[in-house]
Amino acid sequence: MADKKISELKNLVNEPKIAYFTMEIGLREEIPTYSGGLGILAGDATKSAADLEIPFVAVTLLNHKGYFTQELTRDGRQIEHPVKWNPKKYLTPLPFTTEVHIRGRRVLIKPWLYTVRGASGAKVHVLFLDTDLPENILKDRQISNFLYGGDAKYRLKQEIVLGVGGARILKSLGVDVKKYHMNEGHAAFLTLELLRMHNFNLEEARKKCVFTTHTPVAAGHDHFDYALAEEQMEPLVAPELLRKLCGKENLNMTRLAFNMSSYVNGVAKRHKQISEKMFPGYEIHAITNGVHSSTWTHPSFRKLYNKYLPSWEAEPELFIRAAIIPNEEIWKARDKAKSEMIDYVNKKTKAGMEKNVLTIGFARRATAYKRHNFIFSDLERLKEIAKIHPFQIIFAGKAHPRDLGGKQIIREVFKNIKKLKGKIKIAYLENYDIEMAKKLTSGCDVWLNNPERPMEASGTSGMKAAHNGVLNFSVLDGWWLEGFVEGVTGWAIGPGPNEKINLAKAKKRELEDLYSKLEYAILPMYYDRRDDWMEMMENSISKLAYYFNTHRMMRRYVLYAYL
Ligand SMILES: *Cc1c(COP(=O)(O)O)cnc(C)c1O
C-alpha cells in the first residue's frame, strides 16, 4: 500500500501540471461531492484530461457528508439528509498535511488522493482536501463536511481551505504548477497565496492563472463582507491591495479571479457576451462546455459506436460518420436504453410509464430560472395535445436547502402531476444524481430545457442526451444556440437573443413554441414518421455529440488557456 502511494506521488511531481481548482467535482455516483452542472463539468474535464494525457491535477474539498440526499414527501416537500459514504473505499489519505489560519487558529488540512485512469492508461489525480482531523477543533473539523452548506462564514472558510490550502498543499507535495485553473470564483483565494509566493509581483502571479466564469447573473457571484473576511482570514495581502483586487464594497471572488487571471473565459459564446456586459473592461473568451462522451453514452450505444466508429472514445470527432450505423440498430439501442429507464421509473414510482409512449425528460437543479413548471402554464392545452398523441414526462432535481423558491417549485410540479392524473403520466424522481442522470439522458425520447434567458450559461445535460440520440427541445440560450438547427438537430423554443422583443412577448412566444411544436412537429413525427425521427437521432450524434464533448473542450483549454 505504502509503495503504491509513493509511486502515485511520483506521477504527481514528474512534470509541470495544470492545477484545476473546483469547489465541487462529480466523478462517479459513489463520490457525492457535487451538486450539479459545475461539478459534473469538473469531473468530465478531469476524465478528458486523463484520456488526452494532459498533465493535470484537480483540487477540491472532501465533503464527508456530501451535498445531501433528497427525500420527497407525497406532496413534494423536500427533506434533506446528510449523505453517508466511506471515502476510504475510493480515496487514499496521503501522509502529508498543510495548514491555513482561520480566525487566528491553525487549521490542519490533509489531502486524499483519487486516481482517474484515462483510456490509454494515463493517470490524472484529484486531491480532496479534508479538515476533519483530530488536531482541529470541532468547528474546524466540519469545514469540509458539507458542499455548499451553512452560511457566508462557513462558505468563506471553505474557500480559504480550497484556495489557500490547495495552493499550499501542491507546493508542499512538490507539484510544479504550470497554470492554476479556477473553475468558478470559489477558489480565487489561491491567487492571494500565489501573490505571496511571487513576492507580490502581480504580473508573475497573473501569468499563472486561468479563470472560467459560469454565472450569468451578478447576484450569483460569491462575495463577502470585508469585516467578515478580515476577521476570519489571515492577512495574506495588505488591506488596500485586497480592496483593489476584490472590489470596493465587498470582497467579490469573481472580481478577484478576473483581476488575477491572464486568461478568462465564459462557457458558451452567448455567455461570453453576457459576461462582458457584466464585467466591462475585461477581455473574456469563450470555450463552450462539453460532456465526457464515454461516461454519458449508454452501454447499448457504446456497443454500436465500438462496432461502427472504433476509437470514438479517444476521438469523438468520429461521430461525424454516425450515418453509417444502420437505423434498425440505432432503434434497438434506443429501445434498450428506454426500456431500462422505464422499468427503473416504474420501480421507483407508481407512474406506470409505458414503453411505446413518447417520453419527455426534464432533470436539473430545481431553481427558479430553470422553470420546471413552464410546461404546465396551460393545463387545458396540454391535455388537448395529449388527447391526439400521448406523451409522458419524467422530472428530477434537487433544490438547494436554502433555496425556498426551488423547493416551492418541486411542490408545484407535484400539484400539477395530481391535476393531470389520468390524463398525462408524469413522475418526479427523488434524489437526482449521476446514476439517474445517465438513465434519463439516455432513456427519454425528448430532452426538454426551458430556462429563463440568458440564465443558462451553457447547460450540459442536453449534450448527454445527444450522445444517446435523444432529441433536444430547448430555449435558445447557452450551448443550444450553438447546436440547434431547427428540425435537423432538434427544436428551438422561443426567440433568439438578437430579436428585440420584451420579456412578456418572449415568454408568450416560448410557450406557443413549446405547445405547438410538441403538437404539430414532435409528436406526429415520433408516431407517424419514424424515418425522419431516426434521421434526427443520427444528426444528434453526428452534429452535436461530435462537437459538444469535453475532449474538444479540453483541447481548446490546452491551446488557448494553458499553453
Ligand atoms: C449533467 C448534470 C447536471 C447539469 O444539467 P444541466 O442541464 O446542465 O443543468 C446536473 N446534475 C446532474 C446530476 C447531472 O448529471
Side-chain angles (χ1 to χ4, degrees):
M1 193 67 186
D3 286 352
K4 190 178 143 233
K5 257 184 246 168
I6 289 161
S7 76
E8 293 287 323
L9 284 176
K10 262 196 207 133
N11 205 308
L12 203 55
V13 296
N14 65 354
E15 60 179 319
K17 296 273 190 303
I18 305 305
Y20 183 87
F21 280 63
T22 183
M23 185 58 97
E24 49 172 310
I25 190 161
L27 291 157
R28 49 196 280 186
E29 51 264 21
E30 298 91 341
I31 302 181
T33 57
Y34 63 92
S35 96
L38 184 73
I40 305 292
L41 179 79
D44 283 7
T46 304
K47 290 176 198 171
S48 278
D51 289 339
L52 298 171
E53 303 186 27
I54 299 169
F56 189 91
V57 55
V59 180
T60 189
L61 295 188
L62 178 55
N63 308 126
H64 287 275
K65 299 191 173 158
Y67 182 46
F68 66 88
T69 301
Q70 179 196 50
E71 180 191 336
L72 294 173
T73 64
R74 281 176 49 190
D75 52 357
R77 200 163 51 81
Q78 172 175 295
I79 302 170
E80 297 117 24
H81 303 284
V83 185
K84 288 198 188 81
W85 70 295
N86 183 4
K88 281 206 192 82
K89 218 169 141 187
Y90 309 98
L91 318 177
T92 314
L94 292 179
F96 289 92
T97 52
T98 193
E99 59 187 51
V100 294
H101 281 82
I102 291 175
R103 209 165 181 176
R105 284 189 309 273
R106 212 163 64 111
V107 177
L108 229 54
I109 302 168
K110 186 191 228 3
W112 296 59
L113 193 71
Y114 180 76
T115 307
V116 177
R117 202 179 272 275
S120 66
K123 287 174 184 172
V124 154
H125 295 105
V126 184
L127 295 171
F128 286 83
L129 307 184
D130 186 11
T131 63
D132 192 1
L133 306 170
E135 294 88 340
N136 292 332
I137 64 165
L138 182 65
K139 224 186 334 185
D140 295 338
R141 293 181 70 154
Q142 293 167 344
I143 293 175
S144 58
N145 261 353
F146 283 104
L147 176 61
Y148 304 139
D151 53 7
K153 195 198 283 182
Y154 185 74
R155 176 74 75 94
L156 176 73
K157 293 187 206 172
Q158 289 193 321
E159 299 192 0
I160 295 170
V161 170
L162 176 66
V164 182
R168 286 181 185 166
I169 203 79
L170 289 174
K171 188 159 186 228
S172 69
L173 287 170
V175 181
D176 181 4
V177 179
K178 187 177 162 62
K179 286 279 160 75
Y180 293 84
H181 185 170
M182 292 168 266
N183 185 40
E184 193 50 294
H186 307 126
F189 286 140
L190 80 85
T191 65
L192 302 179
E193 179 64 11
L194 210 60
L195 265 177
R196 283 154 55 98
M197 289 183 196
H198 287 85
N199 278 319
F200 298 94
N201 183 329
L202 225 73
E203 274 323 295
E204 285 302 308
R206 280 186 82 240
K207 259 195 235 159
K208 292 213 136 186
C209 296
V210 170
F211 172 47
T212 301
T213 174
H214 290 263
T215 315
V217 273
H221 294 271
D222 245 356
H223 51 79
F224 302 104
D225 285 341
Y226 276 111
L228 177 70
E230 277 159 358
E231 170 193 275
Q232 300 292 324
M233 272 172 86
E234 53 196 295
L236 294 165
V237 302
E240 308 78 57
L241 179 59
L242 193 67
R243 279 163 182 77
K244 200 176 134 210
L245 293 174
C246 310
K248 270 202 206 85
E249 264 90 73
N250 49 41
L251 194 167
N252 186 310
M253 298 298 280
T254 306
R255 211 160 266 289
L256 175 59
F258 262 108
N259 284 328
M260 286 303 298
S261 297
S262 53
Y263 183 94
V264 177
N265 73 287
V267 290
K269 290 185 167 59
R270 173 74 177 145
H271 178 236
K272 160 200 148 83
Q273 296 170 339
I274 298 287
S275 303
E276 277 171 343
K277 276 195 200 131
M278 223 168 10
F279 295 95
Y282 294 96
E283 188 184 7
I284 304 174
H285 304 265
I287 297 181
T288 302
N289 280 348
V291 297
H292 186 249
S293 300
S294 167
T295 298
W296 295 104
T297 299
H298 185 274
S300 65
F301 279 91
R302 300 173 59 89
K303 230 191 254 167
L304 270 191
Y305 301 156
N306 286 341
K307 179 169 166 196
Y308 291 98
L309 311 167
S311 68
W312 62 279
E313 283 165 295
E315 233 176 317
E317 290 91 332
L318 293 171
F319 283 138
I320 200 162
R321 282 180 81 225
I324 63 169
I325 309 173
N327 278 358
E328 318 80 70
E329 292 190 45
I330 292 193
W331 195 255
K332 252 203 216 145
R334 168 99 297 270
D335 240 15
K336 184 144 195 295
K338 183 171 180 181
S339 166
E340 271 174 35
M341 178 199 69
I342 299 282
D343 289 342
Y344 172 81
V345 175
N346 286 342
K347 215 156 110 194
K348 296 238 166 197
T349 71
K350 293 197 197 81
M353 295 274 161
E354 292 174 70
K355 292 185 180 171
N356 53 1
V357 168
L358 180 136
T359 306
I360 299 173
F362 190 109
R364 45 190 54 89
R365 285 181 303 120
T367 192
Y369 86 85
K370 299 273 196 184
R371 297 196 298 189
H372 285 56
N373 287 288
F374 196 58
I375 195 169
F376 302 124
S377 301
D378 184 344
L379 294 179
E380 291 315 308
R381 176 100 191 251
L382 207 57
K383 281 190 243 175
E384 287 305 313
I385 299 170
K387 265 190 211 155
I388 310 168
H389 290 296
F391 59 91
Q392 53 200 9
I393 316 176
I394 300 168
F395 283 93
K398 297 175 182 176
H400 185 279
R402 271 176 290 122
D403 183 356
L404 301 184
K407 292 184 181 180
Q408 177 63 21
I409 284 166
I410 303 176
R411 288 198 294 273
E412 271 161 30
V413 176
F414 271 65
K415 273 188 206 151
N416 284 314
I417 293 176
K418 273 193 197 121
K419 283 185 197 157
L420 291 168
K421 208 170 163 136
K423 302 280 197 303
I424 303 173
K425 289 178 175 166
I426 308 167
Y428 198 114
L429 300 178
E430 227 168 35
N431 203 38
Y432 187 45
D433 67 358
I434 292 180
E435 187 200 1
M436 191 185 290
K438 282 183 182 168
K439 290 202 164 74
L440 299 187
T441 57
S442 64
C444 291
D445 298 295
V446 172
W447 196 251
L448 175 65
N449 190 18
N450 49 37
E452 232 167 87
R453 295 172 311 142
M455 305 280 279
E456 189 85 315
S458 166
T460 52
S461 60
M463 305 174 187
K464 302 169 190 167
H467 277 75
N468 298 287
V470 176
L471 304 188
N472 276 278
F473 184 28
S474 289
V475 157
L476 287 173
D477 203 10
W479 81 280
W480 191 230
L481 275 167
E482 294 165 49
F484 96 101
V485 182
E486 183 68 15
V488 176
T489 58
W491 299 274
I493 298 171
N498 299 325
E499 286 184 52
K500 299 261 174 293
I501 62 172
N502 66 35
L503 266 172
K505 277 213 180 100
K507 190 173 167 192
K508 218 173 135 197
R509 272 270 300 282
E510 285 167 353
L511 211 53
E512 187 47 39
D513 274 2
L514 175 59
Y515 290 138
S516 61
K517 288 188 187 182
L518 186 61
E519 177 169 2
Y520 301 115
I522 299 174
L523 286 161
M525 187 191 287
Y526 180 81
Y527 287 109
D528 307 330
R529 303 197 327 270
R530 188 55 48 91
D531 284 348
D532 291 346
W533 189 274
M534 300 283 321
E535 197 172 317
M536 285 184 73
M537 286 181 67
E538 203 178 279
N539 291 340
S540 277
I541 301 162
S542 66
K543 295 184 195 317
L544 299 178
Y546 162 81
Y547 183 84
F548 296 98
N549 56 72
T550 39
H551 277 33
R552 186 258 323 148
M553 181 189 89
M554 288 311 286
R555 286 187 172 118
R556 285 180 195 216
Y557 275 108
V558 169
L559 206 56
Y560 304 140
Y562 299 161
L563 279 186

